[in-house]
Amino acid sequence: MTTQQPRLNGTKTHSRRTIGRSLAVAAATTALAAGFTVAPAQAHQRSAPRPKVTVKSTKVVMPFNLELDRGRVLIADGGSNQVGQLRPGGAIRTVVADQPGASGVATSRDGRWLAVAVTKTDYATVTNTASGLNLLGPRGTRIYADTLAYEKKHNPDSKYYYGVRNASKCVKDSIEKLGAGPVYYKGQVDSHSYSVASYGHSWMVADAGSNTLWKVSARGKVSTLAVLPPAPVVITSAIAKANGLAACTIGVTYLSESVPTDVEVGRDGYLYVTTLPGGVESPQNAQGALWRVNPRTGRYTKIVTGFSGATNLALGRHGEIYVAELYRGRITVVRHGKKQTFVTLPGVVAVETARDGSLWAATVDLSQQGPGSVVQVTTPRR
């Protein structure tokens, strides 16, 4: 276990890079630290059975992702730099160690390969110094897909500009005082391979540093599938106050980076992806989104937006989609493009579905003082 826990963030650019830092921001921001009260369910929803949350383990640190495979619950724990397996009684058995900043885990369809998304970060400069996908196969086979090297060579999101276009001097000075770099900039070089899903004989990777969906072949060859477009965020008075911005920034549109946090393969063969904005986000200004992406062409469609800290998703058996909203402390279910609170779960960072229809989820301690947890969420039958 590392002596220094990785910071959760949800941002990419400049001093805001790597998934983990937004948690530090969340803990320090009054609006988030005070928590978020979920609105009461509508009358027609009250009769539905309430989901039951059962804690299965608190022997984890930063359980960024889960994988349910053939009865196993696998956990990518970036705090202990490993992939572990949940055991009876809550113990965690190490499956593979020495996985720096492990944040994503997936198994191949035949169960013979394990993919782990890893990232090394220099926390003094908040810079990712290495990132990629470890592919672990039969007879000790190991392949490393270096997404940072590919990003340095190609930088797919350099086609986009982020920040405030044609900013006034007041807006420019106020935003740049945050130490986040220039007020308006092109997509920069960074890679934080965060989540991974098996797709045929390949792997799909949601990279929260490069703002890219990578396709990684069985031999570790990296290619670009899609780069999601900037997310416009209107700076409100609440956002300005929370970040010490001048009044001249209120009403200004900031083009945030669309940071991919998870990718799953649907029964329809399409990819489903969650993103959060690469900048300041709060429950009052939720800009997280859910996307549907063609795995062959990279063309994308936004399904719904309005999530706060959308860090993970899971696909249900009947077309429903579950989204972990970290900053609202809940799992939201999406049916036919409509959002509804499924269960309140403070610190939720990961969610996954089981074949029996139950949900598994993982939480982190926002203060980063205590352990995380792995829980099972079941819905009693009427």
Side-chain angles (χ1 to χ4, degrees):
M1 182 178 297
T2 55
T3 55
Q4 181 183 13
Q5 292 183 9
R7 290 171 288 179
L8 287 173
N9 88 48
T11 57
K12 175 206 171 190
T13 65
H14 310 294
S15 63
R16 297 171 299 184
R17 293 176 184 265
T18 69
I19 285 280
R21 191 174 184 280
S22 331
L23 271 208
V25 173
T29 302
T30 303
L32 300 184
F36 183 82
T37 301
V38 178
Q42 299 298 318
H44 70 277
Q45 298 170 1
R46 291 195 184 110
S47 61
R50 290 187 176 183
K52 177 183 179 182
V53 177
T54 304
V55 177
K56 294 295 186 178
S57 178
T58 56
K59 304 294 184 182
V60 292
V61 184
M62 291 288 179
F64 291 121
N65 254 302
L66 302 175
E67 171 77 337
L68 305 181
D69 175 65
R70 296 165 176 79
R72 299 185 300 168
V73 178
L74 301 179
I75 305 136
D77 192 332
S80 58
N81 295 327
Q82 69 167 11
V83 172
Q85 179 182 346
L86 179 65
R87 303 297 295 167
I92 303 296
R93 180 181 72 85
T94 298
V95 175
V96 55
D98 301 321
Q99 302 296 302
S103 59
V105 58
T107 55
S108 59
R109 289 185 302 176
D110 60 9
R112 301 178 66 199
W113 287 84
L114 180 72
V116 186
V118 294
T119 300
K120 292 181 180 179
T121 304
D122 179 348
Y123 289 107
T125 60
V126 198
T127 301
N128 294 328
T129 58
S131 192
L133 198 64
N134 280 332
L135 302 177
L136 312 174
R139 298 182 295 278
T141 303
R142 289 176 175 260
I143 298 172
Y144 181 62
D146 193 334
T147 57
L148 180 56
Y150 188 89
E151 163 75 358
K152 288 180 177 179
K153 185 176 181 180
H154 299 280
N155 190 16
D157 84 328
S158 64
K159 66 182 181 179
Y160 290 133
Y161 279 85
Y162 304 105
V164 179
R165 185 176 183 180
N166 298 325
S168 68
K169 185 178 185 304
C170 177
V171 170
K172 179 179 181 295
D173 291 347
S174 182
I175 290 178
E176 291 186 352
K177 279 182 181 179
L178 294 177
V183 69
Y184 194 57
Y185 61 95
K186 290 180 66 174
Q188 300 191 348
V189 173
D190 186 23
S191 179
H192 185 178
S193 291
Y194 187 72
S195 292
V196 57
S198 173
Y199 180 80
H201 297 291
S202 302
W203 307 90
M204 298 297 182
V205 178
D207 192 313
S210 66
N211 301 332
T212 303
L213 289 178
W214 306 119
K215 182 176 181 179
V216 177
S217 73
R219 295 186 178 183
K221 181 181 178 181
V222 181
S223 58
T224 302
L225 175 66
V227 183
L228 298 174
V233 176
V234 176
I235 299 176
T236 63
S237 57
I239 291 177
K241 182 179 179 181
N243 292 276
L245 295 172
C248 63
T249 65
I250 297 174
V252 169
T253 297
Y254 187 97
L255 297 175
S256 291
E257 302 176 31
S258 290
V259 179
T261 54
D262 196 17
V263 55
E264 299 286 350
V265 182
R267 295 188 179 187
D268 58 2
Y270 279 73
L271 306 180
Y272 291 83
V273 178
T274 44
T275 60
L276 48 77
V280 178
E281 184 183 25
S282 73
Q284 293 77 17
N285 192 56
Q287 297 293 328
L290 175 65
W291 306 76
R292 184 174 184 257
V293 181
N294 187 314
R296 294 179 176 84
T297 66
R299 292 182 179 176
Y300 47 79
T301 302
K302 185 183 293 184
I303 298 173
V304 66
T305 188
F307 300 103
S308 185
T311 55
N312 217 239
L313 74 107
L315 303 176
R317 294 187 296 177
H318 305 292
E320 70 276 23
I321 303 173
Y322 300 92
V323 177
E325 288 193 79
L326 176 64
Y327 297 154
R328 282 179 172 149
R330 71 186 187 189
I331 297 174
T332 294
V333 62
V334 178
R335 294 186 177 92
H336 308 295
K338 303 294 184 181
K339 306 192 304 292
Q340 177 184 327
T341 299
F342 181 70
V343 67
T344 299
L345 188 60
V348 63
V349 71
V351 62
E352 194 60 76
T353 47
R355 289 185 178 181
D356 63 4
S358 68
L359 281 183
W360 287 77
T363 71
V364 296
D365 177 12
L366 288 174
S367 71
Q368 302 192 54
Q369 300 300 313
S373 71
V374 177
V375 306
Q376 186 177 26
V377 184
T378 53
T379 303
R381 296 181 179 180
R382 295 186 183 183

